Amino acid sequence: MSINHHVVVLGAGYAGMMSALRLSRRMRHRGDVHITLVNPSPRFTERLRLHQLAAGHTLHDLRIEQLVDGTGIEFICGAATVIDTEIRKVRVETLGRVRVLDYDTLVYALGGVTEVNAVPGADQHTYPLDSVRQAATVARRLTDLAPGSAVTVCGGGLTGVETAAEIAETHPGLRVSLISRGEPAAMLSSAARAHVYDRFDQLGVRVHRGVVTKVLPDAVELSRADLGVEPDAGEWEATDLLSSDLTLWTTGLRGQPLAAESGIGTDAAGLVVTDPSLRARTHPDIYAAGDAAAIRQAWGQVHGTAQSALPSGAHVADSIARQLNGKEPKPFRFGYRHRAVSLGRGDGVVGFVRADGTPRRRVRTGDSGVRYKELASARPPRVFAHTTGLFGLLRPIGSTRGGRATRKPATSR
Ligand SMILES: Cc1cc2nc3c(=O)[nH]c(=O)nc-3n(C[C@H](O)[C@H](O)[C@H](O)COP(=O)(O)OP(=O)(O)OC[C@H]3O[C@@H](n4cnc5c(N)ncnc54)[C@H](O)[C@@H]3O)c2cc1C
């Protein structure tokens, strides 16, 4: 049978892999649909484990070729550099070669990049954790530091908390600080937060409340005045310099610039603005999923997590399959279940949440937290294998139709 529909999936992260594999499963009875998956690296990056790599641990080497083996998906190792939405073509730069792909349906799942341009010096003197290469560079730099050197993690969200704990546990001879504008891990319940602070005390992670105003090669400038809080007696001036031999930046996520450069409608953070079924508002032949998409639910906007990237990728596959079968796509409904946070390899905390991410009281800590976190980290080959039906059909971990809150019709933008 000749191919009459070409689906090109850009980005083989959690969302893109899930879309491609699930669509291949949905379409396996049809010979007329071809799926091409494009990713710059031949390796599937477990982005949610990059703090482990940065601290010096080794991650599984998951090869995309192997993950898509036997599915009929064509994998192209390259980066999409131009999308011409008028004539439906994508330019892909591979090693030493340029390829131009025609598409009928495009899935935009390029993830996001950490915003390092908002504070002077952050782009030059900090390391974000967006890629294996950046995390590996941090790992090398950490081993070169003399005992007692200062490592600073900017950003008190869950990525910053996990990163500070992981580095402090693996490198007990270094002085690790976490800088946070508000309370670190503010999105957790008070019981879960208390566990984070206990663990920080155990590991010697020092927390500084402040707004980073400048990053220098060997220091971070903090303003406490912007917070409207008085400095602690004797310890801080309103503006202070914290010496730092190695600084990491973990706060602020932006979409990759490609969507906006290609004329696809994005929000202020560069995320593709989607309709309820995850089609780009400006281009119904383009779907967006995962961190790259601005996804609204009845309760508000979905924030970038693997927990939401997997089901959004699955939904995109289901929507494309419905359209190819002559049906209308359904609205995407999602609700969070938990916030699972590693605190080094030896501890973790899981805060259970309502669909909109607000914390419930139930918490798991210690060994139970570690085990849950590992399960929630969704060992990708297993989840992807399940979705392709190669090893039986289980609902992917992280996939959820959410609680009651998500069953209301999605509000339009
Ligand atoms: C240290 C850390 C810890 C985290 N911990 C958790 C956690 O515990 N739980 C959780 O749910 N989430 C966590 N997250 C967030 C989670 O990793 C992301 O939300 C998730 O990776 C988003 O999946 P995605 O598929 O949208 O994007 P990604 O996983 O970022 O995948 C995007 C893919 O697109 C590729 N790509 C980029 N540009 C191009 C291009 N031009 N052409 C082709 N391909 C391209 C990238 O190389 C990548 O493979 C963590 C993140 C970090 C950094």
Side-chain angles (χ1 to χ4, degrees), residues 211-266:
V211 176
V212 178
T213 47
K214 196 192 286 180
V215 184
L216 304 167
D218 55 358
V220 176
E221 185 188 86
L222 286 184
S223 166
R224 312 244 309 170
D226 288 358
L227 291 176
V229 279
E230 290 293 314
D232 302 334
E235 200 182 349
W236 291 94
E237 300 300 329
T239 302
D240 215 329
L241 266 190
L242 189 70
S243 79
S244 180
D245 299 297
L246 179 64
T247 308
L248 288 91
W249 197 267
T250 65
T251 177
L253 190 80
R254 287 193 62 76
Q256 300 274 4
L258 184 59
E261 287 166 4
S262 309
I264 301 168
T266 56

Side-chain angles (χ1 to χ4, degrees), residues 9-18 37-41 43-52 64 76 78-82 90-92 108-114 128-131 158-160 162-163 250 253 256 258 289-293 303-310 312 336 338-342 373 376-377:
V9 179
L10 301 181
Y14 297 89
M17 281 297 294
M18 179 56 94
L37 178 63
V38 178
N39 197 70
S41 158
R43 177 178 172 170
F44 173 80
T45 300
E46 288 186 271
R47 188 176 176 136
L48 62 73
R49 293 187 192 275
L50 287 182
H51 59 298
Q52 294 172 226
I64 295 170
I76 297 179
T81 52
V82 179
V90 185
R91 181 188 160 99
V92 176
Y108 188 91
L110 300 190
V113 282
T114 307
L129 293 181
D130 289 338
S131 65
L158 299 182
T159 302
E162 289 194 320
T163 304
T250 65
L253 190 80
Q256 300 274 4
L258 184 59
D291 284 4
H303 297 290
T305 57
Q307 191 182 163
S308 47
L310 285 167
S312 68
Y336 292 99
H338 55 238
R339 296 197 189 276
V341 187
S342 63
K373 166 74 183 180
S377 296

Side-chain angles (χ1 to χ4, degrees), residues 153-166 177-178 200 205 250-251:
V153 178
C154 301
L158 299 182
T159 302
V161 165
E162 289 194 320
T163 304
E166 199 79 42
S177 294
L178 179 77
F200 275 178
V205 176
T250 65
T251 177

Side-chain angles (χ1 to χ4, degrees), residues 10-319:
L10 301 181
Y14 297 89
M17 281 297 294
M18 179 56 94
S19 291
L21 287 169
R22 190 164 167 114
L23 186 61
S24 77
R25 177 173 182 275
R26 291 256 182 271
M27 294 290 109
R28 70 186 160 191
H29 60 285
R30 290 176 52 155
D32 61 340
V33 178
H34 185 68
I35 303 167
T36 303
L37 178 63
V38 178
N39 197 70
S41 158
R43 177 178 172 170
F44 173 80
T45 300
E46 288 186 271
R47 188 176 176 136
L48 62 73
R49 293 187 192 275
L50 287 182
H51 59 298
Q52 294 172 226
L53 190 61
H57 300 288
T58 310
L59 300 186
H60 292 294
D61 187 5
L62 305 169
R63 296 280 142 178
I64 295 170
E65 283 282 8
Q66 281 168 13
L67 292 171
V68 301
D69 190 33
T71 62
I73 295 168
E74 179 192 8
F75 172 57
I76 297 179
C77 186
T81 52
V82 179
I83 304 170
D84 189 327
T85 57
E86 291 290 315
I87 50 171
R88 294 185 179 166
K89 287 185 192 294
V90 185
R91 181 188 160 99
V92 176
E93 295 191 6
T94 62
L95 261 188
R97 199 175 150 207
V98 171
R99 288 186 61 172
V100 177
L101 307 177
D102 293 292
Y103 67 83
D104 297 295
T105 304
L106 188 72
V107 179
Y108 188 91
L110 300 190
V113 282
T114 307
E115 172 62 275
V116 286
N117 293 314
V119 173
D123 57 339
Q124 287 167 281
H125 308 305
T126 71
Y127 294 91
L129 293 181
D130 289 338
S131 65
V132 166
R133 186 185 295 187
Q134 287 164 340
T137 306
V138 172
R140 275 197 304 279
R141 294 271 338 257
L142 283 168
T143 52
D144 289 344
L145 290 177
S149 299
V151 176
T152 310
V153 178
C154 301
L158 299 182
T159 302
V161 165
E162 289 194 320
T163 304
E166 199 79 42
I167 293 175
E169 185 191 69
T170 317
H171 300 273
L174 301 175
R175 289 182 294 125
V176 179
S177 294
L178 179 77
I179 299 180
S180 182
R181 176 189 290 261
E183 232 189 305
M187 58 296 286
L188 297 180
S189 68
S190 54
R193 261 192 335 265
H195 188 79
V196 171
Y197 302 155
D198 285 349
R199 180 67 172 157
F200 275 178
D201 283 348
Q202 222 178 50
L203 295 171
V205 176
R206 195 151 170 226
V207 174
H208 302 286
R209 293 278 307 277
V211 176
V212 178
T213 47
K214 196 192 286 180
V215 184
L216 304 167
D218 55 358
V220 176
E221 185 188 86
L222 286 184
S223 166
R224 312 244 309 170
D226 288 358
L227 291 176
V229 279
E230 290 293 314
D232 302 334
E235 200 182 349
W236 291 94
E237 300 300 329
T239 302
D240 215 329
L241 266 190
L242 189 70
S243 79
S244 180
D245 299 297
L246 179 64
T247 308
L248 288 91
W249 197 267
T250 65
T251 177
L253 190 80
R254 287 193 62 76
Q256 300 274 4
L258 184 59
E261 287 166 4
S262 309
I264 301 168
T266 56
D267 67 7
L271 307 182
V272 175
V273 178
T274 56
D275 72 8
S277 63
L278 304 186
R279 284 177 295 206
R281 283 255 184 222
T282 51
H283 295 82
D285 50 352
I286 298 177
Y287 281 86
D291 284 4
I295 301 176
R296 283 205 72 81
Q297 294 290 292
W299 45 262
Q301 183 149 335
V302 175
H303 297 290
T305 57
Q307 191 182 163
S308 47
L310 285 167
S312 68
H315 186 84
V316 163
D318 293 349
S319 297

Side-chain angles (χ1 to χ4, degrees), residues 355-377:
D356 63 359
T358 52
R360 294 180 189 277
R361 291 211 339 235
R362 204 173 136 226
V363 170
R364 281 189 186 206
T365 57
D367 284 350
S368 160
V370 173
R371 280 199 305 277
Y372 188 101
K373 166 74 183 180
E374 273 306 302
L375 193 67
S377 296

